[in-house]
Amino acid sequence: MPDLLLELFSEEIPARMQRRAAEDLRKLVTDALVERGFLYEGAKAFATPRRLALHVAGLPPRGQDVREERKGPRVGAPEGAVQGFLKSAGLASLDEAKIVADPKKGEFYVAVIERPGRETIEVLAEILPAIVKSFPWPKSMRWGAASREPGSLRWVRPLHSIVASFGPETETPEVVPFSVDGIEAGLTTRGHRFMAPQPIEVRRFADYLPALERAFVVLDSERRKDIILHDARDLAFARGLDLVEDEGLLEEVAGLVEWPVTLMGAFDERFLAIPPEVIRATIRANQKCFVLRGAPGPDGRERLANAFILVSNLVASDGGAAIVAGNERVVRARLSDAAFFWETDRKLRLEDRLPKLENIVFHEKLGTQAKRVERIAALARALAPAVGADPDLATRAARLAKADLVTEMVGEFPELQGLMGRYYAAEQGEDPAVAAAIEEHYKPLGPSDRVPSEPVSVAVALADKLDTLVGFWAIGETPTGSKDPYALRRAALGVIRLILASEARLPLRAQIAAAAAGHGQQDSDSFAGDLLAFFADRLKVYLRDQGARHDLIDAVFALPGQDDLLMVVRRVEALGRFLDTEDGRNLLAGYRRAANILRIEEKKDGRAYDAAPDQALLSLTEESALADALRTAGAEAGRAVAAEDFEGAMRALSTLRAPVDAFFDTVTVNAEDAALRANRLALLNGLRAATREVADFSRIGGEGR
């Protein structure tokens, strides 16, 4: 079976765009082929800094012949209908159609359309230029004289050449005949920009791959990553050091080189006095280099080594000495700047920086960072008792939490916000809990991020996120669809994880009202319900990821006043365990039977049967037994729920199983006597009311998942 080799050779493609571009190329080409009926055995795309490549294996040499019978109008139909049929079927006259008889509908015309399968190379010549011209780069450019022409090619960087070959392994492949803006597809590519710049003739993927290797190009980005990681570990090990691995940096560096060569550089040991995170951020951000870890210090803590790993894109004649020296000069200059920032920032206490926050606008409708700090401090103080934190420490931590935003270091490295605040707080002698909270109040930043456990950190983190959520809800800036520019979903998930991890009793409606008051909103009812529903949705997502049933979450949230997330989760867990038992499953079945009867009869009668059953009308033993069981179980379940003993509430409900089963086995609900019928329906409503002590059973699905 023939293969397709496609390469688009250009100037350097930004590393962050390469992986997505390769996947887009694969999908666009294969989707276009499948749409036209051309199936294939496999496809893989590749990216280097200067090329996108695609190999599609096992394509047919030509498409399948198509035979289609198209039904037309009846014999004797109006001329307009006949002519429309002839035109759509591509027939010159009715002589080219056949007449088919239908016993019920009579005779009608049928056109037999036969289309021979197209040559695959012709189809490729049709689809490939269109894909190149409309390729979905996040950013693209025009270049050269042609850029002045309307509709000229846009590409991420100037496109130089196209390789496009098609054919089986046993034959000489053909060039797919197409061009894009004067660039003719051919069989010529180029290797490494410096080490093998001469043209290379390739014919198929089997010789394309080794030809590039000989020309100092590693096509597969995963292999480049493996080479970098393996060689970096070996270099570090040879010096008795450990590589500080960084998957994001590894991905980026692999997209910057076609022939990775790892080298080791060093910097002055005096720079190790700077916080290690600063050293790493400096070397990573400015030079795309990896830092190394040395032996633990006297205190047992890990320390960085005064060395780094860089990745070159060529094999230098001097063994890389000049490349290393150049990188060392830049690293030295950058670390000198960082050391200056570190020393300068430490001269001013965090609280003395607070006035500068008045010049930083958090949001035009929500005021400055200074106003935000005041709100967070007040909220953290109010939240502190609920999470076991010292109110004074929580207030102090909240007041200082944003102060590092106006430091030189965070100005240079925004990703170090919070962390630098912790360092500066420790330097000026703040309580360790305050210093920790300054760093940790941003956490958790995502579903896999660590949740703070120190109570002061929890209080400030909750205050920060609740202030953000309530503020944006108050001004109507809420997430819509996939858009969430202020990361409010992440903030809500953070609140949920903080509450559950700390086991805090924190009814949200009261916290929303308190946060709204800080924003000058004395009446939060206008948006509190919507925000609580947002929390409920986020909780469902979180618990579903933990394996919980979403219908049980709906069943609990359907009850009024469910804004204590910890209690909601515990109730859901207890309900799930109950429904996994035979008593739970049978009671649910009985509930559904009762609810269905009630729904039908209440709709038919136009009334609700919510009055207490008349004891005098309980003529059968099973009726009386169910009435007694409902009174006892309902009261016990209510008391257990009030005591937050949800397991006890489930045990109380489990006693209903036997009397409910006996009732339905023996009693005819729709009795002929109207009073008896109404009383029995009221009895079924008692079952519905008893179960609502723990959850709305009508929200529980069959399988519940």
Side-chain angles (χ1 to χ4, degrees):
M1 297 285 279
D3 291 0
L4 166 69
L5 168 63
L6 175 67
E7 183 201 71
L8 303 168
F9 182 81
S10 69
E11 293 297 323
E12 274 73 5
I13 304 167
R16 68 183 182 279
M17 298 183 187
Q18 291 172 21
R19 188 172 291 275
R20 176 63 183 271
E23 177 58 24
D24 284 342
L25 181 63
R26 185 197 64 79
K27 190 173 190 306
L28 289 168
V29 173
T30 55
D31 283 358
L33 287 167
V34 171
E35 280 177 15
R36 291 160 175 78
F38 291 84
L39 304 182
Y40 59 95
E41 292 177 0
K44 187 170 183 180
F46 306 89
T48 80
R50 296 209 297 163
R51 72 200 76 221
L52 292 180
L54 173 67
H55 176 225
V56 183
L59 280 166
R62 65 191 300 271
Q64 293 182 344
D65 297 339
V66 176
R67 186 180 188 277
E68 174 189 355
E69 289 192 358
R70 183 173 298 177
K71 186 177 179 180
R74 293 177 181 172
V75 174
E79 182 64 18
V82 171
Q83 291 302 319
F85 165 64
L86 293 175
K87 183 177 180 180
S88 66
L91 303 182
S93 69
L94 287 175
D95 295 337
E96 298 178 9
K98 65 179 183 178
I99 297 175
V100 177
D102 186 312
K104 294 183 178 180
K105 298 182 179 180
E107 295 182 327
F108 55 88
Y109 295 108
V110 172
V112 179
I113 304 170
E114 294 184 345
R115 290 193 297 270
R118 297 177 63 191
E119 296 293 324
T120 306
I121 196 167
E122 294 178 7
V123 175
L124 289 169
E126 176 185 287
I127 66 176
L128 293 179
I131 288 172
V132 174
K133 288 180 179 178
S134 61
F135 200 80
W137 292 108
K139 291 185 178 180
S140 57
M141 61 182 291
R142 294 189 177 100
W143 62 93
S147 64
R148 292 190 290 269
E149 300 297 324
S152 62
L153 176 66
R154 298 187 66 94
W155 200 247
V156 63
R157 295 290 185 270
L159 185 64
H160 291 316
S161 65
I162 300 173
V163 170
S165 73
F166 179 75
E169 292 183 6
T170 56
E171 300 175 14
T172 301
E174 297 179 71
V175 174
V176 182
F178 73 92
S179 66
V180 178
D181 271 25
I183 304 172
E184 294 279 346
L187 299 174
T188 303
T189 186
R190 292 180 181 273
H192 193 281
R193 181 186 290 275
F194 304 113
M195 294 190 290
Q198 61 275 11
I200 305 170
E201 292 295 317
V202 295
R203 295 198 172 276
R204 56 176 61 85
F205 188 73
D207 60 50
Y208 172 71
L209 204 59
L212 287 183
E213 291 274 349
R214 290 191 297 271
F216 301 99
V217 175
V218 177
L219 182 64
D220 190 345
S221 63
E222 289 302 316
R223 185 159 168 259
R224 296 198 300 274
K225 288 169 64 174
D226 287 343
I227 291 170
I228 293 167
L229 188 57
H230 180 272
D231 290 353
R233 286 171 175 168
D234 284 352
L235 276 177
F237 180 76
R239 288 275 304 273
L241 305 173
D242 291 322
L243 177 71
V244 178
E245 297 186 14
D246 185 329
E247 178 60 29
L249 179 59
L250 180 62
E251 176 80 14
E252 183 177 8
V253 171
L256 296 174
V257 297
E258 289 193 318
W259 191 258
V261 177
T262 57
L263 302 166
M264 182 179 290
F267 55 84
D268 294 346
E269 194 168 358
R270 64 184 175 89
F271 290 125
L272 293 177
I274 305 171
E277 296 87 354
V278 174
I279 296 174
R280 183 176 179 181
T282 301
I283 293 177
R284 185 189 197 280
N286 294 298
Q287 289 305 101
K288 312 302 180 190
C289 294
F290 298 86
V291 296
L292 299 169
R293 187 184 297 115
D299 56 359
R301 297 177 62 183
E302 292 183 338
R303 298 174 70 249
L304 292 184
N306 60 320
F308 59 92
I309 296 288
L310 63 101
V311 182
S312 169
N313 190 32
L314 55 82
V315 179
S317 58
D318 63 354
I323 296 172
V324 170
N327 276 267
E328 287 178 340
R329 282 195 298 272
V330 177
V331 166
R332 187 183 308 117
R334 297 296 188 181
L335 289 178
S336 294
D337 290 342
F340 174 77
F341 296 151
W342 171 242
E343 293 300 329
T344 301
D345 288 341
R346 293 159 70 196
K347 294 176 181 177
L348 191 64
R349 294 180 63 83
L350 289 174
E351 59 265 39
D352 295 335
R353 297 181 180 277
L354 296 180
K356 291 185 178 181
L357 294 178
E358 296 174 1
N359 301 321
I360 301 178
V361 176
F362 172 63
H363 186 279
E364 61 180 353
K365 294 182 180 179
L366 297 176
T368 64
Q369 284 284 9
K371 290 293 184 183
R372 185 165 179 246
V373 165
E374 291 178 10
R375 295 194 302 268
I376 294 172
L379 201 53
R381 187 175 193 86
L383 289 167
V387 298
D390 182 295
D392 292 336
L393 292 180
T395 305
R396 177 69 175 173
R399 281 184 50 77
L400 301 180
K402 307 295 181 183
D404 67 348
L405 295 178
V406 292
T407 62
E408 299 285 348
M409 192 72 81
V410 174
E412 182 71 13
F413 301 108
E415 67 272 23
L416 297 181
Q417 63 185 1
L419 174 67
M420 295 314 302
R422 178 175 191 163
Y423 273 111
Y424 298 139
E427 283 279 321
Q428 69 184 41
E430 296 292 337
D431 188 286
V434 170
I438 292 173
E439 177 187 7
E440 295 179 335
H441 83 280
Y442 291 106
K443 294 181 175 294
L445 290 172
S448 59
D449 194 21
R450 180 179 64 84
V451 180
S453 57
E454 166 62 43
V456 174
S457 298
V458 173
V460 182
L462 281 170
D464 179 71
K465 292 165 180 59
L466 285 170
D467 175 79
T468 298
L469 287 160
V470 171
F472 282 108
W473 244 262
I475 62 174
E477 293 279 359
T478 59
T480 55
S482 61
K483 295 183 178 179
D484 186 12
Y486 304 111
L488 301 181
R489 292 187 179 94
R490 186 176 71 186
L493 178 59
V495 170
I496 290 167
R497 293 185 65 200
L498 285 161
I499 289 174
L500 298 185
S502 63
E503 299 188 342
R505 300 300 310 280
L506 210 64
L508 286 177
R509 189 173 290 275
Q511 308 311 321
I512 291 171
H519 285 277
Q521 296 274 341
Q522 299 306 317
D523 181 11
S524 61
D525 291 344
S526 60
F527 61 83
D530 186 52
L531 181 50
L532 285 171
F534 183 71
F535 274 113
D537 287 340
R538 293 297 92 201
L539 180 63
K540 280 192 283 188
V541 171
Y542 175 73
L543 292 181
R544 191 161 59 237
D545 290 343
Q546 308 299 311
R549 289 171 49 168
H550 66 84
D551 59 330
L552 303 190
I553 304 168
D554 287 337
V556 171
F557 263 115
L559 301 181
Q562 298 304 307
D563 65 342
D564 186 331
L565 299 186
L566 183 63
M567 292 300 101
V568 167
V569 171
R570 289 181 176 173
R571 192 181 296 216
V572 167
E573 291 170 348
L575 181 59
R577 287 190 290 270
F578 174 57
L579 294 177
D580 283 340
T581 67
E582 186 179 358
D583 282 347
R585 288 189 293 268
N586 286 347
L587 180 62
L588 178 60
Y591 165 85
R592 286 179 177 148
R593 187 173 178 183
N596 286 335
I597 294 171
L598 279 168
R599 183 176 64 254
I600 293 169
E601 299 306 314
E602 287 177 340
K603 182 178 181 181
K604 183 172 65 178
D605 298 343
R607 55 166 290 195
Y609 291 94
D610 52 4
D614 186 344
Q615 298 295 316
L617 294 177
L618 300 176
S619 58
L620 299 177
T621 303
E622 290 79 10
E623 288 181 281
S624 299
L626 179 57
D628 292 341
L630 287 173
R631 280 194 300 274
T632 302
E636 288 183 4
R639 285 193 294 270
V641 168
E644 299 173 358
D645 177 11
F646 302 117
E647 299 288 352
M650 302 305 162
R651 285 195 299 273
L653 289 186
S654 69
T655 63
L656 293 174
R657 177 205 167 173
V660 167
D661 289 348
F663 178 86
F664 281 120
D665 287 344
T666 307
V667 178
T668 300
V669 176
N670 287 323
E672 293 183 6
D673 184 287
L676 197 58
R677 170 178 172 271
N679 204 55
R680 289 172 178 174
L681 289 172
L683 200 57
L684 295 186
N685 182 71
L687 173 60
R688 185 165 60 181
T691 57
R692 282 186 67 85
E693 291 290 344
V694 295
D696 183 348
F697 274 42
S698 69
R699 303 295 186 101
I700 301 174
E703 295 299 323
R705 296 196 183 271

